């Protein structure tokens, strides 16, 4: 889908949902907070979105959906999440539960599943169990083969939509010896089961996403026909891991949407509230905080954009991109929310304020993104075990490898580049030592300097060159990581990949990857971004945010850079545009009593 069509579609959804500050609009903050306050599943809101057809953009065209490019569904869910992360999560759970079918179902199974969802069916992803959490190889649910099908026995716990779902996609053991080939995936249609045979577990009360159905199911010899098996018997682990790659990537849409609203609310306050004789936005400390928070959001937007497009254009490296995004984006934006809380001050605690009451909900809901579909430790571990190979490939500097990486990175980060048909089954579980965002960074820095030289304004030219200098410093950090990784391996021996030091290097790798993504997006999509982008000051501050994750006391910007970043931020805020590289206008009013 072209940039113009995606923007138009996003704005059409925005118009359908209305101004969230208008209590009478279809999806207002007033209604969202009422569901949250009463911990009541937001059926009204999910039905509103289903009536518009948002789910169709997350289902494959060949089976009756409208999904072509992953980035379309990703950005539509982000627009929902800026109103209510709970509703967005409920929708996303159905999409994630469908992923094993997208990867491995027969055409007959796929068409039937899409038809069900198009007719309002809800799905749940039955992977986690009470005693085992992220250790899915230790799960206990069994699938015993019997004539005509299987008997499912066991319990799935802390799974979203479990009680309200019509269909639960279940991982179960089909080989008592376990191991990687000991698992299979089944589609359990509760509507086809005798009444009472699927026992619902109590709904768990949550701090965030309060209105979400987070419960479980217990099965005791529940029969499912052979046609309910998704893929081949023994393929369950592969399907679960590939589905997790998708979930870990697209769930950043929830975090981006929540922080967009938090920043917008804080800007409403900062641009109107006067204290000590000046507007909050003009107080130097608050001004710097707002600029940094905006840079964080743009940085998260860049790394998410590359990863989402990479699912289609570069599925071989999904293992790395998905884990980087899943670790980096919610971790970064949790810090961002803390900074915004300082600027917003006491209004952070005004629970029923008609304009600011939703901030606290966004703060609570964001926390869930840290641990669902693979927590911080799981994702860092995935990077830690692959780190040696990634750094070795980058250090080798093979011209052919880098040329191939530049070609793939261009498709990933050029928003005008057409994406190939998404085939999630082609995703690999190991990256084989390649991360094109990093391997193509030298080329991107050359393009950044060329972009600087073309600028008619001397100030923009200077700032682009400064950004390129910081990018070059970030590139050198990979050599330091390689030296540190070799030392850790020598000192720790065989268990080095699980050491705390190796995990810290994985954290730093994620930061450096995000900096590379910011540069890649700026130089490869410069003609496709919104009117304010790329902007040299915004890019420079994004790179400073990365640099300070490595060296907290070192700055590369100044007050003039902050002023320019805030000018861009204020333009987007005044024009009611999404805080993103995507130039989407959103429904938003800022009428409130200061």
């Amino acid at each position: 889908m072209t940039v113009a069509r995606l923007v138009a579609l996003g704005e059409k959804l925005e118009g359908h949902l209305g101004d969230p500050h208008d209590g009478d609009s279809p999806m207002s903050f007033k209604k969202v907070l009422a569901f949250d306050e009463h911990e009541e599943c937001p059926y009204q809101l999910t039905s509103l979105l289903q009536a518009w057809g948002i789910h169709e953009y997350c289902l494959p065209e060949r089976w009756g959906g409208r999904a072509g490019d992953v980035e379309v569904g990703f950005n539509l869910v982000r627009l929902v999440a800026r109103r209510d992360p709970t509703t967005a999560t409920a929708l996303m759970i159905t999409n994630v539960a469908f992923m094993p079918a997208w990867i491995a179902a027969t055409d007959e199974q796929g068409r039937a599943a899409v038809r069900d969802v198009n007719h309002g069916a809800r799905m749940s992803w039955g992977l986690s169990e009470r005693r085992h959490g992220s250790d899915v190889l230790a799960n206990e649910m069994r699938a015993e083969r019997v004539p005509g099908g299987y008997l499912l026995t066991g319990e799935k716990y802390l799974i979203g939509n479990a009680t309200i779902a019509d269909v639960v996609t279940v991982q179960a053991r089909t080989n008592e010896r376990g191991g990687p080939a000991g698992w299979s995936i089944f589609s359990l249609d509760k509507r086809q089961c005798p009444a009472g045979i699927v026992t619902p577990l109590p709904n768990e009360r949550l701090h965030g996403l309060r209105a979400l159905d987070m419960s479980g199911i217990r099965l005791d010899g529940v029969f499912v026909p052979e046609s309910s098996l998704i893929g081949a018997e023994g393929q369950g682990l592969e399907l679960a891991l590939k589905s997790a790659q998708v979930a870990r990537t697209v769930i950043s849409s929830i975090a981006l949407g929540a922080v967009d609203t938090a920043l917008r609310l804080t800007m409403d306050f900062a641009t109107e509230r006067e204290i000590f004789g000046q507007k909050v936005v003009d107080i130097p400390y608050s001004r710097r905080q707002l600029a940094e928070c905006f840079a964080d959001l743009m940085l998260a937007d860049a790394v998410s954009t590359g990863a989402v497009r990479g699912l289609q254009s570069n599925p071989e490296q999904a293992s790395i991109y998905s884990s980087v995004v899943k670790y980096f984006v919610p971790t970064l934006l949790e810090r961002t929310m803390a900074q915004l809380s300082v600027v917003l001050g006491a209004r952070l605690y005004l629970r029923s304020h008609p304009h600011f009451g939703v901030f606290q909900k966004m703060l609570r809901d964001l926390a869930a993104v840290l641990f669902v579909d693979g927590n911080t430790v799981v994702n860092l571990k995935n990077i830690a075990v692959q780190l040696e190979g990634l750094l070795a490939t980058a250090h080798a500097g093979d011209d052919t490898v880098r040329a191939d990486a530049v070609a793939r990175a261009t498709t990933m980060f050029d928003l005008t580049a057409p994406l190939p048909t998404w085939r999630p089954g082609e995703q690999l579980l190991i990256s084989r030592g390649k991360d094109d965002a990093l391997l193509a960074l030298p080329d991107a820095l050359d393009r950044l300097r060329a972009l600087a030289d073309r600028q008619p304004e001397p100030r923009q030219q200077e700032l682009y060159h400064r950004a390129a200098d910081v990018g070059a410093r970030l590139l050198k950090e990979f050599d330091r990581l390689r030296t540190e990784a070799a030392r850790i391996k020598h000192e720790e021996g065989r268990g080095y990949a699980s050491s705390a030091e190796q995990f810290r290097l994985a954290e730093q790798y994620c930061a450096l990857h995000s900096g590379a993504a910011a540069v890649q997006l700026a130089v490869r999509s410069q003609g496709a971004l919104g009117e304010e982008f790329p902007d040299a000051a915004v890019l420079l501050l994004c790179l400073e945010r990365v640099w300070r994750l490595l060296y907290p006391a070192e700055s590369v910007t100044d007050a003039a850079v902050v002023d320019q970043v805030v000018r861009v931020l204020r333009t987007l805020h005044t024009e009611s545009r999404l805080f993103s590289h995507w130039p989407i206008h959103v429904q938003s009013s800022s009428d409130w009593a200061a």
Side-chain angles (χ1 to χ4, degrees):
M1 183 176 288
T2 65
V3 173
R5 287 182 61 198
L6 191 152
V7 169
L9 185 64
E11 292 177 354
K12 181 180 178 182
L13 176 61
E14 280 286 316
H16 177 72
L17 301 180
D19 179 0
H21 291 295
D22 178 358
D24 295 325
S25 70
M27 194 171 181
S28 67
F29 288 142
K30 179 180 179 181
K31 294 175 182 176
V32 166
L33 288 173
F35 285 116
D36 188 74
E37 187 74 17
H38 296 98
E39 301 180 33
E40 178 184 345
C41 189
Y43 293 110
Q44 177 185 350
L45 304 181
T46 55
S47 296
L48 172 72
L49 291 160
Q50 287 177 319
W52 187 81
I54 190 172
H55 59 282
E56 296 178 17
Y57 294 95
C58 302
L59 298 170
E61 287 180 321
R62 73 180 189 274
W63 289 336
R66 301 178 71 177
D69 296 338
V70 190
E71 64 189 359
V72 177
F74 176 87
N75 282 292
L76 294 178
V77 171
R78 184 206 309 220
L79 296 176
V80 175
R82 81 176 196 88
R83 290 170 170 80
D84 184 19
T86 303
T87 301
T89 301
L91 292 170
M92 186 174 290
I93 290 169
T94 289
N95 301 339
V96 172
F98 180 80
M99 279 312 306
W102 195 327
I103 296 169
T106 65
D107 285 343
E108 183 180 359
Q109 288 173 320
R111 282 193 294 268
V114 169
R115 184 171 58 249
D116 279 352
V117 176
N118 280 339
H119 284 80
R122 297 178 174 87
M123 298 182 70
S124 178
W125 180 211
L127 183 62
S128 65
E129 296 183 7
R130 189 184 304 268
R131 294 176 56 190
H132 307 296
S134 299
D135 186 5
V136 295
L137 284 178
N139 280 350
E140 299 175 38
M141 179 168 279
R142 262 66 173 173
E144 178 188 354
R145 181 179 278 278
V146 295
Y150 299 82
L151 296 179
L152 297 179
T153 300
E155 180 182 286
K156 294 296 179 179
Y157 171 71
L158 277 188
I159 58 174
N161 287 358
T163 301
I164 67 172
D166 302 290
V167 178
V168 183
T169 305
V170 174
Q171 179 233 32
R173 185 188 292 264
T174 45
N175 187 323
E176 285 301 317
R177 291 177 296 178
W183 305 93
S184 302
I185 301 292
F186 299 89
S187 177
L188 171 66
D189 190 334
K190 293 195 294 184
R191 298 166 300 183
Q192 303 301 317
C193 296
I197 196 171
V198 178
T199 304
L201 300 179
N203 192 39
E204 295 287 347
R205 300 185 67 191
L206 307 173
H207 289 292
L209 305 177
R210 288 178 175 175
L212 187 68
D213 169 23
M214 183 60 68
S215 52
I217 57 171
R218 183 179 297 119
L219 310 175
D220 185 10
V222 175
F223 176 79
V224 293
E226 199 162 306
S227 60
S228 70
L229 176 67
I230 303 298
E233 189 173 293
Q235 196 181 359
L237 181 63
E238 175 194 349
L239 297 180
L241 292 178
K242 288 182 177 180
S243 298
Q245 290 174 350
V246 178
R248 292 170 185 177
T249 304
V250 300
I251 199 172
S252 65
S253 62
I254 306 292
L256 293 171
V259 178
D260 182 282
T261 289
L263 177 56
R264 201 171 301 276
L265 292 169
T266 308
M267 282 297 293
D268 291 347
F269 168 77
T271 55
E272 296 295 330
R273 176 67 167 172
E274 187 172 301
I275 190 169
F276 303 129
Q278 58 184 332
K279 295 289 179 66
V280 170
V281 73
D282 295 323
I283 298 172
Y285 179 75
S286 299
R287 192 173 182 81
R288 161 66 84 159
Q289 298 292 309
L290 289 166
E292 290 181 346
C293 290
F294 176 56
D296 284 351
L297 191 50
M298 299 305 290
L299 187 61
D301 184 69
V303 70
S304 298
T305 296
V308 168
R309 290 178 62 85
L311 287 173
Q312 277 177 258
S313 65
N314 200 357
E316 296 87 355
Q317 296 174 24
S319 171
I320 287 299
Y321 298 142
S322 61
S323 286
V324 168
V325 168
K326 185 58 172 65
Y327 163 74
F328 184 78
V329 170
T331 303
L332 174 74
L333 295 184
E334 187 179 43
R335 180 188 68 175
T336 305
M337 291 291 277
Q339 286 188 249
L340 290 174
S341 297
V342 172
V343 178
L344 192 59
R347 279 163 182 77
L348 164 70
Y349 273 85
L350 299 184
R351 183 171 173 179
S352 60
H353 193 288
H355 196 84
F356 297 106
V358 75
F359 187 98
Q360 182 64 229
K361 173 176 166 54
M362 295 298 173
L363 186 64
R364 288 185 282 104
D365 289 355
L366 176 65
V369 184
L370 285 162
F371 59 84
V372 297
D373 290 310
N375 61 28
T376 295
V377 175
V378 168
N379 286 286
L380 285 178
K381 181 177 181 180
N382 184 47
I383 296 164
V385 298
Q386 299 188 63
L387 191 58
E388 182 180 15
L390 293 166
L391 296 174
T393 303
H395 180 75
D398 184 281
D399 289 342
T400 301
V401 171
R402 290 195 184 278
D404 291 343
V406 169
R408 289 190 295 265
T410 298
T411 304
M412 286 173 61
F413 291 98
D414 179 359
L415 301 185
T416 66
L419 292 167
T421 301
W422 187 27
R423 294 184 173 87
E426 295 180 0
Q427 293 165 202
L428 299 183
L429 303 183
I430 297 293
S431 178
R432 297 177 180 173
K434 293 181 180 179
D435 177 350
D436 289 338
L438 162 61
L439 292 172
L441 182 55
D443 174 81
L445 292 174
D446 289 342
R447 293 172 184 269
L448 183 57
R449 295 193 188 280
L451 176 62
D453 292 337
R454 294 196 300 270
Q455 297 304 305
E457 297 180 13
R459 178 60 173 166
Q460 283 284 302
Q461 186 176 100
E462 175 205 348
L463 293 180
Y464 272 129
H465 275 297
R466 286 170 61 181
D469 290 342
V470 178
R473 291 166 65 185
L474 290 173
L475 189 58
K476 290 180 179 178
E477 286 295 304
F478 288 102
D479 289 332
R480 177 184 63 79
L481 260 63
R482 182 171 175 270
T483 301
E484 285 292 300
R487 178 188 61 81
I488 293 169
K489 184 176 182 180
H490 175 73
E491 293 178 356
E492 298 287 340
R494 292 181 60 185
Y496 76 99
S498 297
S499 67
E501 283 189 287
Q502 185 82 351
F503 272 53
R504 280 195 288 271
L505 290 187
E507 292 176 344
Q508 294 174 33
Y509 185 91
C510 291
L512 294 172
H513 174 103
S514 71
V519 175
Q520 299 281 7
L521 186 62
V523 299
R524 303 192 193 280
S525 285
Q526 56 185 284
L529 304 176
E531 186 177 337
E532 299 296 323
F533 301 110
D535 179 88
V538 173
L539 178 59
L540 181 58
L541 187 55
C542 285
L543 295 180
E544 180 186 80
R545 298 299 280 168
V546 173
W547 188 254
R548 294 188 73 171
L549 290 172
L550 307 175
Y551 303 100
E554 295 185 22
S555 298
V556 298
T557 63
D558 50 37
V561 171
V562 170
D563 288 345
Q564 171 63 9
V565 173
V566 172
R567 186 197 68 77
V568 174
L569 171 59
R570 294 194 71 167
T571 298
L572 299 185
H573 177 248
T574 301
E575 295 179 356
S576 294
R577 282 166 52 189
L578 190 68
F579 295 137
S580 166
H581 294 90
W582 292 94
I584 299 173
H585 285 85
V586 298
Q587 300 285 321
S588 182
S589 61
S590 57
D591 299 329
W592 65 284

